[in-house]
PDB file of all heavy atoms in Angstrom:
ATOM      1  N   GLN H   1       8.126  18.696  16.447  1.00 97.00           N
ATOM      2  CA  GLN H   1       7.212  18.371  15.364  1.00 97.00           C
ATOM      3  C   GLN H   1       7.491  16.961  14.928  1.00 97.00           C
ATOM      4  O   GLN H   1       8.642  16.521  14.855  1.00 97.00           O
ATOM      5  CB  GLN H   1       7.438  19.327  14.181  1.00 97.00           C
ATOM      6  CG  GLN H   1       7.216  20.792  14.531  1.00 97.00           C
ATOM      7  CD  GLN H   1       7.771  21.703  13.448  1.00 97.00           C
ATOM      8  OE1 GLN H   1       8.431  21.310  12.544  1.00 97.00           O
ATOM      9  NE2 GLN H   1       7.466  22.981  13.594  1.00 97.00           N
ATOM     10  N   SER H   2       6.442  16.217  14.642  1.00 97.00           N
ATOM     11  CA  SER H   2       6.618  14.824  14.211  1.00 97.00           C
ATOM     12  C   SER H   2       5.738  14.526  13.020  1.00 97.00           C
ATOM     13  O   SER H   2       4.740  15.211  12.779  1.00 97.00           O
ATOM     14  CB  SER H   2       6.324  13.837  15.367  1.00 97.00           C
ATOM     15  OG  SER H   2       4.972  13.963  15.739  1.00 97.00           O
ATOM     16  N   ARG H   3       6.154  13.475  12.287  1.00 97.00           N
ATOM     17  CA  ARG H   3       5.320  13.043  11.175  1.00 97.00           C
ATOM     18  C   ARG H   3       5.704  11.632  10.801  1.00 97.00           C
ATOM     19  O   ARG H   3       6.779  11.133  11.086  1.00 97.00           O
ATOM     20  CB  ARG H   3       5.472  13.960   9.969  1.00 97.00           C
ATOM     21  CG  ARG H   3       6.885  13.944   9.354  1.00 97.00           C
ATOM     22  CD  ARG H   3       6.878  13.293   7.988  1.00 97.00           C
ATOM     23  NE  ARG H   3       8.181  13.342   7.375  1.00 97.00           N
ATOM     24  CZ  ARG H   3       8.938  12.269   7.251  1.00 97.00           C
ATOM     25  NH1 ARG H   3       8.580  11.145   7.746  1.00 97.00           N
ATOM     26  NH2 ARG H   3      10.124  12.343   6.662  1.00 97.00           N
ATOM     27  N   VAL H   4       4.751  10.927  10.154  1.00 97.00           N
ATOM     28  CA  VAL H   4       4.993   9.615   9.521  1.00 97.00           C
ATOM     29  C   VAL H   4       4.642   9.822   8.039  1.00 97.00           C
ATOM     30  O   VAL H   4       3.596  10.382   7.725  1.00 97.00           O
ATOM     31  CB  VAL H   4       4.136   8.521  10.180  1.00 97.00           C
ATOM     32  CG1 VAL H   4       4.303   7.203   9.415  1.00 97.00           C
ATOM     33  CG2 VAL H   4       4.501   8.336  11.651  1.00 97.00           C
ATOM     34  N   LYS H   5       5.579   9.430   7.184  1.00 96.00           N
ATOM     35  CA  LYS H   5       5.408   9.614   5.765  1.00 96.00           C
ATOM     36  C   LYS H   5       4.117   8.933   5.296  1.00 96.00           C
ATOM     37  O   LYS H   5       3.765   7.842   5.758  1.00 96.00           O
ATOM     38  CB  LYS H   5       6.636   8.992   5.048  1.00 96.00           C
ATOM     39  CG  LYS H   5       6.780   9.357   3.598  1.00 96.00           C
ATOM     40  CD  LYS H   5       8.021   8.724   2.975  1.00 96.00           C
ATOM     41  CE  LYS H   5       9.300   9.454   3.258  1.00 96.00           C
ATOM     42  NZ  LYS H   5       9.482  10.739   2.657  1.00 96.00           N
ATOM     43  N   SER H   6       3.438   9.564   4.361  1.00 94.00           N
ATOM     44  CA  SER H   6       2.184   9.012   3.818  1.00 94.00           C
ATOM     45  C   SER H   6       2.481   7.737   3.022  1.00 94.00           C
ATOM     46  O   SER H   6       3.589   7.528   2.535  1.00 94.00           O
ATOM     47  CB  SER H   6       1.496  10.049   2.918  1.00 94.00           C
ATOM     48  OG  SER H   6       2.246  10.230   1.737  1.00 94.00           O
ATOM     49  N   ASN H   7       1.448   6.941   2.831  1.00 91.00           N
ATOM     50  CA  ASN H   7       1.572   5.717   2.020  1.00 91.00           C
ATOM     51  C   ASN H   7       2.086   6.061   0.631  1.00 91.00           C
ATOM     52  O   ASN H   7       2.989   5.430   0.117  1.00 91.00           O
ATOM     53  CB  ASN H   7       0.231   5.011   1.899  1.00 91.00           C
ATOM     54  CG  ASN H   7      -0.352   4.625   3.237  1.00 91.00           C
ATOM     55  OD1 ASN H   7       0.238   4.867   4.292  1.00 91.00           O
ATOM     56  ND2 ASN H   7      -1.495   4.005   3.214  1.00 91.00           N
ATOM     57  N   ALA H   8       1.489   7.093   0.040  1.00 91.00           N
ATOM     58  CA  ALA H   8       1.872   7.518  -1.317  1.00 91.00           C
ATOM     59  C   ALA H   8       3.320   8.003  -1.321  1.00 91.00           C
ATOM     60  O   ALA H   8       4.068   7.723  -2.270  1.00 91.00           O
ATOM     61  CB  ALA H   8       0.930   8.591  -1.822  1.00 91.00           C
ATOM     62  N   GLY H   9       3.728   8.698  -0.271  1.00 95.00           N
ATOM     63  CA  GLY H   9       5.118   9.185  -0.203  1.00 95.00           C
ATOM     64  C   GLY H   9       6.091   8.036  -0.100  1.00 95.00           C
ATOM     65  O   GLY H   9       7.166   8.091  -0.701  1.00 95.00           O
ATOM     66  N   ILE H  10       5.748   7.006   0.657  1.00 95.00           N
ATOM     67  CA  ILE H  10       6.612   5.847   0.777  1.00 95.00           C
ATOM     68  C   ILE H  10       6.723   5.143  -0.585  1.00 95.00           C
ATOM     69  O   ILE H  10       7.836   4.809  -1.036  1.00 95.00           O
ATOM     70  CB  ILE H  10       6.057   4.866   1.838  1.00 95.00           C
ATOM     71  CG1 ILE H  10       6.135   5.486   3.223  1.00 95.00           C
ATOM     72  CG2 ILE H  10       6.813   3.524   1.800  1.00 95.00           C
ATOM     73  CD1 ILE H  10       5.386   4.700   4.302  1.00 95.00           C
ATOM     74  N   MET H  11       5.611   4.968  -1.250  1.00 93.00           N
ATOM     75  CA  MET H  11       5.601   4.297  -2.546  1.00 93.00           C
ATOM     76  C   MET H  11       6.436   5.102  -3.580  1.00 93.00           C
ATOM     77  O   MET H  11       7.208   4.518  -4.316  1.00 93.00           O
ATOM     78  CB  MET H  11       4.186   4.095  -3.030  1.00 93.00           C
ATOM     79  CG  MET H  11       4.088   3.233  -4.275  1.00 93.00           C
ATOM     80  SD  MET H  11       2.349   2.889  -4.600  1.00 93.00           S
ATOM     81  CE  MET H  11       2.536   1.678  -5.881  1.00 93.00           C
ATOM     82  N   ARG H  12       6.253   6.415  -3.622  1.00 95.00           N
ATOM     83  CA  ARG H  12       7.013   7.265  -4.544  1.00 95.00           C
ATOM     84  C   ARG H  12       8.505   7.104  -4.302  1.00 95.00           C
ATOM     85  O   ARG H  12       9.285   7.012  -5.258  1.00 95.00           O
ATOM     86  CB  ARG H  12       6.601   8.727  -4.412  1.00 95.00           C
ATOM     87  CG  ARG H  12       5.344   9.097  -5.158  1.00 95.00           C
ATOM     88  CD  ARG H  12       5.166  10.609  -5.253  1.00 95.00           C
ATOM     89  NE  ARG H  12       5.158  11.272  -3.961  1.00 95.00           N
ATOM     90  CZ  ARG H  12       4.100  11.447  -3.168  1.00 95.00           C
ATOM     91  NH1 ARG H  12       2.910  11.022  -3.582  1.00 95.00           N
ATOM     92  NH2 ARG H  12       4.197  12.062  -2.028  1.00 95.00           N
ATOM     93  N   LYS H  13       8.916   7.103  -3.032  1.00 96.00           N
ATOM     94  CA  LYS H  13      10.343   7.031  -2.716  1.00 96.00           C
ATOM     95  C   LYS H  13      10.901   5.661  -3.122  1.00 96.00           C
ATOM     96  O   LYS H  13      11.992   5.573  -3.676  1.00 96.00           O
ATOM     97  CB  LYS H  13      10.584   7.255  -1.231  1.00 96.00           C
ATOM     98  CG  LYS H  13      12.039   7.415  -0.894  1.00 96.00           C
ATOM     99  CD  LYS H  13      12.227   8.167   0.379  1.00 96.00           C
ATOM    100  CE  LYS H  13      13.658   8.679   0.495  1.00 96.00           C
ATOM    101  NZ  LYS H  13      13.833   9.533   1.612  1.00 96.00           N
ATOM    102  N   LEU H  14      10.166   4.570  -2.889  1.00 96.00           N
ATOM    103  CA  LEU H  14      10.602   3.265  -3.323  1.00 96.00           C
ATOM    104  C   LEU H  14      10.796   3.239  -4.834  1.00 96.00           C
ATOM    105  O   LEU H  14      11.815   2.767  -5.336  1.00 96.00           O
ATOM    106  CB  LEU H  14       9.625   2.171  -2.892  1.00 96.00           C
ATOM    107  CG  LEU H  14       9.564   1.810  -1.415  1.00 96.00           C
ATOM    108  CD1 LEU H  14       8.381   0.904  -1.122  1.00 96.00           C
ATOM    109  CD2 LEU H  14      10.867   1.152  -0.944  1.00 96.00           C
ATOM    110  N   LYS H  15       9.809   3.754  -5.564  1.00 96.00           N
ATOM    111  CA  LYS H  15       9.882   3.772  -7.023  1.00 96.00           C
ATOM    112  C   LYS H  15      11.022   4.637  -7.513  1.00 96.00           C
ATOM    113  O   LYS H  15      11.770   4.255  -8.401  1.00 96.00           O
ATOM    114  CB  LYS H  15       8.572   4.267  -7.616  1.00 96.00           C
ATOM    115  CG  LYS H  15       7.441   3.261  -7.548  1.00 96.00           C
ATOM    116  CD  LYS H  15       6.163   3.795  -8.201  1.00 96.00           C
ATOM    117  CE  LYS H  15       5.088   2.742  -8.214  1.00 96.00           C
ATOM    118  NZ  LYS H  15       3.862   3.258  -8.848  1.00 96.00           N
ATOM    119  N   ARG H  16      11.205   5.825  -6.918  1.00 97.00           N
ATOM    120  CA  ARG H  16      12.277   6.737  -7.320  1.00 97.00           C
ATOM    121  C   ARG H  16      13.645   6.103  -7.123  1.00 97.00           C
ATOM    122  O   ARG H  16      14.552   6.315  -7.912  1.00 97.00           O
ATOM    123  CB  ARG H  16      12.166   8.039  -6.516  1.00 97.00           C
ATOM    124  CG  ARG H  16      13.110   9.143  -6.987  1.00 97.00           C
ATOM    125  CD  ARG H  16      12.865  10.472  -6.262  1.00 97.00           C
ATOM    126  NE  ARG H  16      13.150  10.418  -4.868  1.00 97.00           N
ATOM    127  CZ  ARG H  16      12.265  10.548  -3.901  1.00 97.00           C
ATOM    128  NH1 ARG H  16      10.978  10.735  -4.189  1.00 97.00           N
ATOM    129  NH2 ARG H  16      12.614  10.497  -2.617  1.00 97.00           N
ATOM    130  N   LYS H  17      13.796   5.292  -6.065  1.00 97.00           N
ATOM    131  CA  LYS H  17      15.046   4.627  -5.788  1.00 97.00           C
ATOM    132  C   LYS H  17      15.185   3.300  -6.529  1.00 97.00           C
ATOM    133  O   LYS H  17      16.203   2.610  -6.390  1.00 97.00           O
ATOM    134  CB  LYS H  17      15.212   4.402  -4.273  1.00 97.00           C
ATOM    135  CG  LYS H  17      15.395   5.666  -3.476  1.00 97.00           C
ATOM    136  CD  LYS H  17      15.607   5.328  -2.024  1.00 97.00           C
ATOM    137  CE  LYS H  17      16.263   6.492  -1.330  1.00 97.00           C
ATOM    138  NZ  LYS H  17      17.077   6.056  -0.197  1.00 97.00           N
ATOM    139  N   GLY H  18      14.167   2.927  -7.275  1.00 97.00           N
ATOM    140  CA  GLY H  18      14.204   1.660  -8.006  1.00 97.00           C
ATOM    141  C   GLY H  18      14.194   0.435  -7.104  1.00 97.00           C
ATOM    142  O   GLY H  18      14.768  -0.599  -7.423  1.00 97.00           O
ATOM    143  N   LEU H  19      13.518   0.553  -5.959  1.00 96.00           N
ATOM    144  CA  LEU H  19      13.472  -0.513  -4.977  1.00 96.00           C
ATOM    145  C   LEU H  19      12.192  -1.314  -5.106  1.00 96.00           C
ATOM    146  O   LEU H  19      11.164  -0.764  -5.539  1.00 96.00           O
ATOM    147  CB  LEU H  19      13.595   0.074  -3.563  1.00 96.00           C
ATOM    148  CG  LEU H  19      14.893   0.786  -3.265  1.00 96.00           C
ATOM    149  CD1 LEU H  19      14.799   1.602  -2.006  1.00 96.00           C
ATOM    150  CD2 LEU H  19      16.042  -0.227  -3.167  1.00 96.00           C
ATOM    151  N   PRO H  20      12.204  -2.554  -4.679  1.00 93.00           N
ATOM    152  CA  PRO H  20      10.961  -3.362  -4.717  1.00 93.00           C
ATOM    153  C   PRO H  20       9.900  -2.770  -3.787  1.00 93.00           C
ATOM    154  O   PRO H  20      10.226  -2.188  -2.743  1.00 93.00           O
ATOM    155  CB  PRO H  20      11.387  -4.729  -4.241  1.00 93.00           C
ATOM    156  CG  PRO H  20      12.766  -4.622  -3.730  1.00 93.00           C
ATOM    157  CD  PRO H  20      13.335  -3.311  -4.165  1.00 93.00           C
ATOM    158  N   LEU H  21       8.671  -2.922  -4.197  1.00 91.00           N
ATOM    159  CA  LEU H  21       7.548  -2.385  -3.410  1.00 91.00           C
ATOM    160  C   LEU H  21       7.092  -3.448  -2.396  1.00 91.00           C
ATOM    161  O   LEU H  21       6.023  -4.016  -2.514  1.00 91.00           O
ATOM    162  CB  LEU H  21       6.385  -1.979  -4.324  1.00 91.00           C
ATOM    163  CG  LEU H  21       6.728  -0.966  -5.428  1.00 91.00           C
ATOM    164  CD1 LEU H  21       5.538  -0.700  -6.311  1.00 91.00           C
ATOM    165  CD2 LEU H  21       7.276   0.315  -4.815  1.00 91.00           C
ATOM    166  N   THR H  22       7.950  -3.651  -1.389  1.00 92.00           N
ATOM    167  CA  THR H  22       7.643  -4.651  -0.368  1.00 92.00           C
ATOM    168  C   THR H  22       7.836  -4.043   1.007  1.00 92.00           C
ATOM    169  O   THR H  22       8.522  -3.037   1.181  1.00 92.00           O
ATOM    170  CB  THR H  22       8.573  -5.877  -0.490  1.00 92.00           C
ATOM    171  OG1 THR H  22       9.936  -5.455  -0.236  1.00 92.00           O
ATOM    172  CG2 THR H  22       8.494  -6.535  -1.854  1.00 92.00           C
ATOM    173  N   LEU H  23       7.238  -4.709   1.996  1.00 93.00           N
ATOM    174  CA  LEU H  23       7.400  -4.261   3.378  1.00 93.00           C
ATOM    175  C   LEU H  23       8.857  -4.353   3.801  1.00 93.00           C
ATOM    176  O   LEU H  23       9.371  -3.455   4.454  1.00 93.00           O
ATOM    177  CB  LEU H  23       6.514  -5.084   4.306  1.00 93.00           C
ATOM    178  CG  LEU H  23       5.010  -4.983   4.083  1.00 93.00           C
ATOM    179  CD1 LEU H  23       4.271  -5.978   4.969  1.00 93.00           C
ATOM    180  CD2 LEU H  23       4.522  -3.578   4.313  1.00 93.00           C
ATOM    181  N   GLU H  24       9.535  -5.415   3.402  1.00 94.00           N
ATOM    182  CA  GLU H  24      10.949  -5.592   3.757  1.00 94.00           C
ATOM    183  C   GLU H  24      11.777  -4.467   3.156  1.00 94.00           C
ATOM    184  O   GLU H  24      12.701  -3.953   3.813  1.00 94.00           O
ATOM    185  CB  GLU H  24      11.449  -6.948   3.227  1.00 94.00           C
ATOM    186  CG  GLU H  24      12.868  -7.237   3.602  1.00 94.00           C
ATOM    187  CD  GLU H  24      13.360  -8.572   3.098  1.00 94.00           C
ATOM    188  OE1 GLU H  24      12.578  -9.331   2.498  1.00 94.00           O
ATOM    189  OE2 GLU H  24      14.550  -8.866   3.330  1.00 94.00           O
ATOM    190  N   SER H  25      11.449  -4.053   1.976  1.00 95.00           N
ATOM    191  CA  SER H  25      12.191  -2.966   1.321  1.00 95.00           C
ATOM    192  C   SER H  25      11.977  -1.652   2.053  1.00 95.00           C
ATOM    193  O   SER H  25      12.921  -0.857   2.190  1.00 95.00           O
ATOM    194  CB  SER H  25      11.736  -2.821  -0.150  1.00 95.00           C
ATOM    195  OG  SER H  25      12.476  -1.867  -0.816  1.00 95.00           O
ATOM    196  N   ILE H  26      10.793  -1.418   2.546  1.00 96.00           N
ATOM    197  CA  ILE H  26      10.516  -0.200   3.337  1.00 96.00           C
ATOM    198  C   ILE H  26      11.404  -0.226   4.578  1.00 96.00           C
ATOM    199  O   ILE H  26      12.120   0.743   4.845  1.00 96.00           O
ATOM    200  CB  ILE H  26       9.031  -0.125   3.737  1.00 96.00           C
ATOM    201  CG1 ILE H  26       8.141   0.078   2.512  1.00 96.00           C
ATOM    202  CG2 ILE H  26       8.830   1.007   4.740  1.00 96.00           C
ATOM    203  CD1 ILE H  26       6.636  -0.104   2.797  1.00 96.00           C
ATOM    204  N   GLU H  27      11.378  -1.323   5.312  1.00 95.00           N
ATOM    205  CA  GLU H  27      12.144  -1.427   6.563  1.00 95.00           C
ATOM    206  C   GLU H  27      13.637  -1.298   6.349  1.00 95.00           C
ATOM    207  O   GLU H  27      14.337  -0.663   7.150  1.00 95.00           O
ATOM    208  CB  GLU H  27      11.842  -2.761   7.247  1.00 95.00           C
ATOM    209  CG  GLU H  27      10.462  -2.822   7.855  1.00 95.00           C
ATOM    210  CD  GLU H  27      10.225  -4.156   8.539  1.00 95.00           C
ATOM    211  OE1 GLU H  27       9.838  -5.128   7.855  1.00 95.00           O
ATOM    212  OE2 GLU H  27      10.427  -4.218   9.766  1.00 95.00           O
ATOM    213  N   LYS H  28      14.173  -1.858   5.281  1.00 96.00           N
ATOM    214  CA  LYS H  28      15.630  -1.877   5.076  1.00 96.00           C
ATOM    215  C   LYS H  28      16.158  -0.630   4.369  1.00 96.00           C
ATOM    216  O   LYS H  28      17.343  -0.309   4.519  1.00 96.00           O
ATOM    217  CB  LYS H  28      16.001  -3.097   4.261  1.00 96.00           C
ATOM    218  CG  LYS H  28      15.925  -4.391   5.056  1.00 96.00           C
ATOM    219  CD  LYS H  28      16.432  -5.584   4.277  1.00 96.00           C
ATOM    220  CE  LYS H  28      16.414  -6.803   5.155  1.00 96.00           C
ATOM    221  NZ  LYS H  28      16.934  -7.982   4.458  1.00 96.00           N
ATOM    222  N   ASN H  29      15.330   0.056   3.589  1.00 96.00           N
ATOM    223  CA  ASN H  29      15.847   1.091   2.710  1.00 96.00           C
ATOM    224  C   ASN H  29      15.319   2.506   2.918  1.00 96.00           C
ATOM    225  O   ASN H  29      15.948   3.457   2.471  1.00 96.00           O
ATOM    226  CB  ASN H  29      15.580   0.710   1.232  1.00 96.00           C
ATOM    227  CG  ASN H  29      16.221  -0.620   0.856  1.00 96.00           C
ATOM    228  OD1 ASN H  29      17.438  -0.721   0.875  1.00 96.00           O
ATOM    229  ND2 ASN H  29      15.415  -1.585   0.568  1.00 96.00           N
ATOM    230  N   ILE H  30      14.183   2.638   3.538  1.00 96.00           N
ATOM    231  CA  ILE H  30      13.594   3.981   3.700  1.00 96.00           C
ATOM    232  C   ILE H  30      13.817   4.411   5.142  1.00 96.00           C
ATOM    233  O   ILE H  30      13.172   3.954   6.061  1.00 96.00           O
ATOM    234  CB  ILE H  30      12.073   3.985   3.339  1.00 96.00           C
ATOM    235  CG1 ILE H  30      11.850   3.379   1.963  1.00 96.00           C
ATOM    236  CG2 ILE H  30      11.525   5.401   3.433  1.00 96.00           C
ATOM    237  CD1 ILE H  30      12.516   4.106   0.814  1.00 96.00           C
ATOM    238  N   TRP H  31      14.756   5.339   5.313  1.00 94.00           N
ATOM    239  CA  TRP H  31      15.210   5.757   6.636  1.00 94.00           C
ATOM    240  C   TRP H  31      14.369   6.907   7.211  1.00 94.00           C
ATOM    241  O   TRP H  31      14.504   7.276   8.363  1.00 94.00           O
ATOM    242  CB  TRP H  31      16.672   6.171   6.608  1.00 94.00           C
ATOM    243  CG  TRP H  31      17.560   5.007   6.363  1.00 94.00           C
ATOM    244  CD1 TRP H  31      17.922   4.476   5.151  1.00 94.00           C
ATOM    245  CD2 TRP H  31      18.143   4.182   7.344  1.00 94.00           C
ATOM    246  NE1 TRP H  31      18.715   3.390   5.349  1.00 94.00           N
ATOM    247  CE2 TRP H  31      18.871   3.158   6.697  1.00 94.00           C
ATOM    248  CE3 TRP H  31      18.138   4.182   8.760  1.00 94.00           C
ATOM    249  CZ2 TRP H  31      19.596   2.218   7.370  1.00 94.00           C
ATOM    250  CZ3 TRP H  31      18.866   3.228   9.406  1.00 94.00           C
ATOM    251  CH2 TRP H  31      19.572   2.235   8.716  1.00 94.00           C
ATOM    252  N   ASP H  32      13.489   7.499   6.379  1.00 94.00           N
ATOM    253  CA  ASP H  32      12.727   8.646   6.869  1.00 94.00           C
ATOM    254  C   ASP H  32      11.222   8.406   6.862  1.00 94.00           C
ATOM    255  O   ASP H  32      10.452   9.294   6.657  1.00 94.00           O
ATOM    256  CB  ASP H  32      13.079   9.878   6.051  1.00 94.00           C
ATOM    257  CG  ASP H  32      12.669   9.787   4.583  1.00 94.00           C
ATOM    258  OD1 ASP H  32      12.438   8.651   4.110  1.00 94.00           O
ATOM    259  OD2 ASP H  32      12.594  10.824   3.915  1.00 94.00           O
ATOM    260  N   VAL H  33      10.822   7.155   7.109  1.00 97.00           N
ATOM    261  CA  VAL H  33       9.366   6.860   7.195  1.00 97.00           C
ATOM    262  C   VAL H  33       8.788   7.687   8.319  1.00 97.00           C
ATOM    263  O   VAL H  33       7.701   8.251   8.188  1.00 97.00           O
ATOM    264  CB  VAL H  33       9.117   5.353   7.419  1.00 97.00           C
ATOM    265  CG1 VAL H  33       7.630   5.104   7.726  1.00 97.00           C
ATOM    266  CG2 VAL H  33       9.578   4.559   6.208  1.00 97.00           C
ATOM    267  N   ALA H  34       9.486   7.793   9.415  1.00 96.00           N
ATOM    268  CA  ALA H  34       9.015   8.588  10.569  1.00 96.00           C
ATOM    269  C   ALA H  34      10.105   9.581  10.896  1.00 96.00           C
ATOM    270  O   ALA H  34      11.299   9.317  10.694  1.00 96.00           O
ATOM    271  CB  ALA H  34       8.755   7.675  11.762  1.00 96.00           C
ATOM    272  N   GLY H  35       9.701  10.736  11.403  1.00 94.00           N
ATOM    273  CA  GLY H  35      10.702  11.727  11.769  1.00 94.00           C
ATOM    274  C   GLY H  35      10.213  12.688  12.823  1.00 94.00           C
ATOM    275  O   GLY H  35       9.009  12.888  13.006  1.00 94.00           O
ATOM    276  N   LEU H  36      11.170  13.221  13.531  1.00 95.00           N
ATOM    277  CA  LEU H  36      10.916  14.257  14.535  1.00 95.00           C
ATOM    278  C   LEU H  36      11.827  15.415  14.256  1.00 95.00           C
ATOM    279  O   LEU H  36      13.000  15.228  13.926  1.00 95.00           O
ATOM    280  CB  LEU H  36      11.187  13.738  15.957  1.00 95.00           C
ATOM    281  CG  LEU H  36      10.149  12.795  16.485  1.00 95.00           C
ATOM    282  CD1 LEU H  36      10.777  11.460  16.795  1.00 95.00           C
ATOM    283  CD2 LEU H  36       9.528  13.356  17.721  1.00 95.00           C
ATOM    284  N   ARG H  37      11.321  16.613  14.430  1.00 95.00           N
ATOM    285  CA  ARG H  37      12.135  17.806  14.356  1.00 95.00           C
ATOM    286  C   ARG H  37      12.062  18.477  15.707  1.00 95.00           C
ATOM    287  O   ARG H  37      10.994  18.821  16.200  1.00 95.00           O
ATOM    288  CB  ARG H  37      11.610  18.763  13.276  1.00 95.00           C
ATOM    289  CG  ARG H  37      12.364  20.083  13.237  1.00 95.00           C
ATOM    290  CD  ARG H  37      11.908  20.969  12.121  1.00 95.00           C
ATOM    291  NE  ARG H  37      12.443  20.362  10.889  1.00 95.00           N
ATOM    292  CZ  ARG H  37      12.088  20.756   9.675  1.00 95.00           C
ATOM    293  NH1 ARG H  37      11.202  21.695   9.539  1.00 95.00           N
ATOM    294  NH2 ARG H  37      12.601  20.197   8.626  1.00 95.00           N
ATOM    295  N   VAL H  38      13.208  18.623  16.357  1.00 96.00           N
ATOM    296  CA  VAL H  38      13.291  19.253  17.662  1.00 96.00           C
ATOM    297  C   VAL H  38      13.867  20.635  17.469  1.00 96.00           C
ATOM    298  O   VAL H  38      14.976  20.790  16.969  1.00 96.00           O
ATOM    299  CB  VAL H  38      14.169  18.421  18.629  1.00 96.00           C
ATOM    300  CG1 VAL H  38      14.254  19.081  19.982  1.00 96.00           C
ATOM    301  CG2 VAL H  38      13.647  16.979  18.725  1.00 96.00           C
ATOM    302  N   ILE H  39      13.128  21.648  17.874  1.00 96.00           N
ATOM    303  CA  ILE H  39      13.552  23.021  17.709  1.00 96.00           C
ATOM    304  C   ILE H  39      14.095  23.548  19.030  1.00 96.00           C
ATOM    305  O   ILE H  39      13.410  23.478  20.066  1.00 96.00           O
ATOM    306  CB  ILE H  39      12.367  23.929  17.268  1.00 96.00           C
ATOM    307  CG1 ILE H  39      11.622  23.342  16.066  1.00 96.00           C
ATOM    308  CG2 ILE H  39      12.869  25.349  17.002  1.00 96.00           C
ATOM    309  CD1 ILE H  39      12.408  23.232  14.811  1.00 96.00           C
ATOM    310  N   CYS H  40      15.346  24.022  19.002  1.00 97.00           N
ATOM    311  CA  CYS H  40      15.989  24.614  20.173  1.00 97.00           C
ATOM    312  C   CYS H  40      16.347  26.049  19.847  1.00 97.00           C
ATOM    313  O   CYS H  40      16.657  26.394  18.708  1.00 97.00           O
ATOM    314  CB  CYS H  40      17.251  23.822  20.518  1.00 97.00           C
ATOM    315  SG  CYS H  40      16.994  22.081  20.928  1.00 97.00           S
ATOM    316  N   ALA H  41      16.307  26.911  20.871  1.00 94.00           N
ATOM    317  CA  ALA H  41      16.597  28.343  20.669  1.00 94.00           C
ATOM    318  C   ALA H  41      18.084  28.573  20.459  1.00 94.00           C
ATOM    319  O   ALA H  41      18.471  29.497  19.732  1.00 94.00           O
ATOM    320  CB  ALA H  41      16.112  29.132  21.855  1.00 94.00           C
ATOM    321  N   PHE H  42      18.932  27.745  21.067  1.00 96.00           N
ATOM    322  CA  PHE H  42      20.358  27.959  21.014  1.00 96.00           C
ATOM    323  C   PHE H  42      21.087  26.721  20.538  1.00 96.00           C
ATOM    324  O   PHE H  42      20.717  25.602  20.898  1.00 96.00           O
ATOM    325  CB  PHE H  42      20.892  28.340  22.423  1.00 96.00           C
ATOM    326  CG  PHE H  42      20.179  29.528  22.995  1.00 96.00           C
ATOM    327  CD1 PHE H  42      19.227  29.350  24.002  1.00 96.00           C
ATOM    328  CD2 PHE H  42      20.438  30.820  22.558  1.00 96.00           C
ATOM    329  CE1 PHE H  42      18.542  30.423  24.535  1.00 96.00           C
ATOM    330  CE2 PHE H  42      19.789  31.905  23.090  1.00 96.00           C
ATOM    331  CZ  PHE H  42      18.833  31.716  24.091  1.00 96.00           C
ATOM    332  N   PRO H  43      22.141  26.887  19.713  1.00 95.00           N
ATOM    333  CA  PRO H  43      22.895  25.738  19.222  1.00 95.00           C
ATOM    334  C   PRO H  43      23.385  24.818  20.334  1.00 95.00           C
ATOM    335  O   PRO H  43      23.335  23.590  20.192  1.00 95.00           O
ATOM    336  CB  PRO H  43      24.055  26.345  18.434  1.00 95.00           C
ATOM    337  CG  PRO H  43      23.563  27.705  18.045  1.00 95.00           C
ATOM    338  CD  PRO H  43      22.646  28.134  19.162  1.00 95.00           C
ATOM    339  N   GLU H  44      23.847  25.403  21.437  1.00 96.00           N
ATOM    340  CA  GLU H  44      24.355  24.535  22.516  1.00 96.00           C
ATOM    341  C   GLU H  44      23.247  23.658  23.098  1.00 96.00           C
ATOM    342  O   GLU H  44      23.520  22.572  23.598  1.00 96.00           O
ATOM    343  CB  GLU H  44      25.040  25.363  23.612  1.00 96.00           C
ATOM    344  CG  GLU H  44      24.169  26.381  24.291  1.00 96.00           C
ATOM    345  CD  GLU H  44      24.176  27.784  23.627  1.00 96.00           C
ATOM    346  OE1 GLU H  44      24.647  27.942  22.500  1.00 96.00           O
ATOM    347  OE2 GLU H  44      23.687  28.715  24.277  1.00 96.00           O
TER     348      GLU H  44
END
């Protein structure tokens, strides 16, 4: 499963963290803009 955080979600996270609302701030501070969830049947 994959997703890219919505624009509003990115903005909310920047505001919640008290970070500047800039592209540089997104790149340097928001680690979950994009994500993948890989589901495996077994822990190994």
